[in-house]
Amino acid sequence: MFFRQPDKSQLTRIRFLLFLLALMPLARLIWLGATESLGANPIEFIERSTGTWALVMLLIALALTPIRLLTGIAWPIQLRRMAGLFMFFYACLHFTSYLWLDHWFDWSEISKHIIKHPYVLVGFLAFVLAVPLALTSSNTMMRRLGGRWKLLHRMVYPIAILAVLHFWWLVKKDIREPLFYAVVLLLLLGVRVLYAGRKQLKTQTTSKIQAHNSSA
Amino acid sequence: MLIGKKPDILSSEITPRAIFENRRRFIKAAGFGAAAGLIASAGFVPSLASAANTRQKIASFNKTAYGKEEQLTSYDDITTYNNFYEFGTSKSDPAVHSRLFKPTPWTLSIEGEVKKPRKISIEDIFKLAPLEERIYRMRCVEGWSMVIPWVGFPLSKLIQYAEPTANARYIEFISLADPKSMPGVRVPILDWPYREGLRMDEAMHPLTIMAVGLYGEVLPNQNGAPIRLVVPWKYGFKGAKSIVGLRFTEKMPVTAWMKAGPSEYGFYANVNPEVEHPRWSQSTERRIGGGLFSPRIKTRMFNGYADEVGQLYAGMDLRKNF
Ligand code: HEM
Ligand code: HEM
């Protein structure tokens, strides 16, 4: 059943379930907060949790095309907008916890902090670049922008690279966790490159053969 | 949650006291287990840690005036939020992975520029000088801070016992690196063993102590049992934990963090709000225990101990000597 395209009502149910599932990290934070179980440094905990989930959602959104390429299962692509928007949702919570809980809207301190610390700067860039994607994510905007919409959405690749870099640069010494995300991202992008190369090769050979045939 | 039974009620000897606490912090958030197992980060797993289940009171020590006016960080926070990479790199690791660690028997070896190299047992160290309580602020290079009621004695007493020669200008502190009992050591995150160092005058300063306890109890494993260094005007990483060696040297020792990142971690590592770290802002800090809605506080020069230690660095460029 996984391989088959679900019908409309099934898809709605799947969407609804995944929607609830994607809200679990937030629900958990609220639960841990309400029971005072966020540990000795609750602000750091929230900042890290929301950042991690933004990155996870982003990688899920990026995983759907490789899944189609590798297995031929195409229908999960219909869930990509949701994953992308959840990435943006957690990134907003992440940024808000940074601006509010961590720095209390102390703008002069925040601007200095963003400029001076490379890891914050690339995180900030990733977020800024994601804003237009979220704003243009409605069907109307898609239609209105046409081909440019697709071009705009290619921005998701630099966003993902910046997000992983953000994580990489922030850890002190133990890079195992950002390394894990970097490898996943590399695989997800690698599959695309591989298939793009193959496609190009195929079209090249076909045109060569055609050229050969027509000249003969 | 604060357990700190005030050490007024002291027994005449060190009495083992088993305290089991079922903590709500043990919530493992079922359903996230799989993800957490895959990538166990601070963001995924809340403090699974709880304090070691046997706690021992220290028989006798003197109260001092240090830090009387400070509000103490809770015992729970001090013992579950630790940087002690020998037991893992996440803050909650040390409390969990140090449970089976055995801080006794223990000997400290004294080497280098001394009249006679020798070893001293932890029992003898306890008798070296009267123990005292010192309430110190601790500022971590990562931008957070605590107030900890250490029990210990001035490092100068240990130095007197060691009898350094006239050549001794620095002391190197060497921590235990035992892959059997310390899982973090099996991973080459740092060039083990952990090493720290002080200039002789810093080491002799009355604020510098060797801690053997906190909250009136024997030092918990995750805080550096059985003996650790505390230098309150420097970033927390200067406080070498579970020390097995004290080496007196003529040349400035290269510390573990200097080796790991020479541009980020210097030998002096004095708390200084004006010298930024590439990763963290050093102008402000978060006091642990303040809860969700407490703003950062301003970081003070030498962590607020400038009056006592400022003269040690007179004429030095503290931007270069960071
Ligand atoms: C696309 C947007 C972003 C993504 C995907 C993202 C992701 C992450 C991740 C994965 C972490 C590490 C979590 C961990 O240590 O377990 C993190 C930490 C952090 N992020 Fe972001 N981030 C983004 C944007 C931002 C922005 C805009 C800021 C602020 C300007 C920011 C500030 C921080 C800070 C300060 C931390 C460190 C928290 C700590 O260790 O105390 N991030 N982020
Ligand atoms: C409602 C809003 C959105 C819609 C309708 C939508 C739809 C699409 C579509 C149709 C594509 C395919 C483009 C192509 O094949 O070249 C795409 C690409 C993508 N968008 Fe979105 N998207 C939305 C919002 C977002 C957001 C907010 C993000 C995250 C920042 C995001 C992340 C992605 C990703 C990861 C890809 C895949 C690129 C690839 O796999 O090569 N999307 N989106």
Side-chain angles (χ1 to χ4, degrees), chain A residues 30-167:
Chain A
I30 293 170
W31 165 256
L32 290 174
T35 55
E36 297 194 2
S37 310
L38 288 168
N41 195 345
I43 297 167
E44 180 191 68
F45 188 90
I46 291 173
E47 221 169 308
R48 290 191 174 184
S49 178
T50 49
T52 306
W53 284 105
L55 183 55
V56 169
M57 294 298 170
L58 182 59
L59 292 176
I60 290 174
L62 279 171
L64 303 180
T65 296
I67 287 177
R68 179 182 59 93
L69 291 173
L70 293 171
T71 66
I73 303 168
W75 65 265
I77 304 248
Q78 290 164 284
L79 304 166
R80 184 157 57 197
R81 178 186 346 199
M82 196 160 97
L85 286 173
F86 266 112
M87 173 269 183
F88 193 69
F89 175 66
Y90 281 106
C92 285
L93 291 178
H94 182 62
F95 197 27
T96 307
S97 64
Y98 169 85
L99 296 177
W100 181 18
L101 301 177
D102 203 358
H103 291 279
W104 279 84
F105 307 113
D106 182 347
W107 298 113
S108 78
E109 180 74 24
I110 288 168
S111 52
K112 265 191 279 173
H113 196 237
I114 291 181
I115 296 165
K116 274 195 195 155
H117 301 275
Y119 89 87
V120 189
L121 185 63
V122 294
F124 182 70
L125 272 178
F127 182 78
V128 169
L129 292 176
V131 172
L133 296 200
L135 291 182
T136 59
S137 61
S138 66
N139 288 342
T140 333
M141 283 307 282
M142 268 179 90
R143 242 175 288 122
R144 206 182 296 168
L145 287 173
R148 279 171 303 161
W149 184 91
K150 220 170 161 171
L151 215 62
L152 184 64
H153 257 242
R154 297 261 154 86
M155 202 61 93
V156 77
Y157 306 121
I159 290 172
I161 292 167
L162 288 171
V164 169
L165 204 61
H166 171 58
F167 197 175

Side-chain angles (χ1 to χ4, degrees), chain B residues 15-93:
Chain B
T15 0
R17 174 159 64 100
I19 299 174
F20 262 104
E21 281 173 90
N22 265 326
R23 265 159 225 215
R24 280 187 302 164
R25 292 203 172 173
F26 258 116
I27 293 167
K28 270 198 180 155
F32 290 92
L38 193 63
I39 13 174
S41 75
F44 275 111
V45 196
S47 147
L48 299 172
S50 92
N53 47 32
T54 30
R55 291 165 52 178
Q56 298 183 329
K57 283 212 164 173
I58 289 177
S60 77
F61 58 86
N62 305 317
K63 294 257 180 193
T64 60
Y66 291 100
K68 267 202 324 237
E69 69 291 350
E70 298 279 353
Q71 196 190 340
L72 300 185
T73 304
S74 76
Y75 182 89
D76 253 23
D77 286 346
I78 294 173
T79 55
T80 56
Y81 191 77
N82 308 99
N83 274 328
F84 195 173
Y85 282 13
E86 283 85 338
F87 292 110
T89 53
S90 115
K91 296 278 188 304
S92 52
D93 281 343

Side-chain angles (χ1 to χ4, degrees), chain B residues 87-106:
Chain B
F87 292 110
T89 53
S90 115
K91 296 278 188 304
S92 52
D93 281 343
V96 177
H97 297 304
S98 72
R99 283 211 185 110
L100 300 176
F101 181 72
K102 294 256 180 303
T104 46
W106 195 273

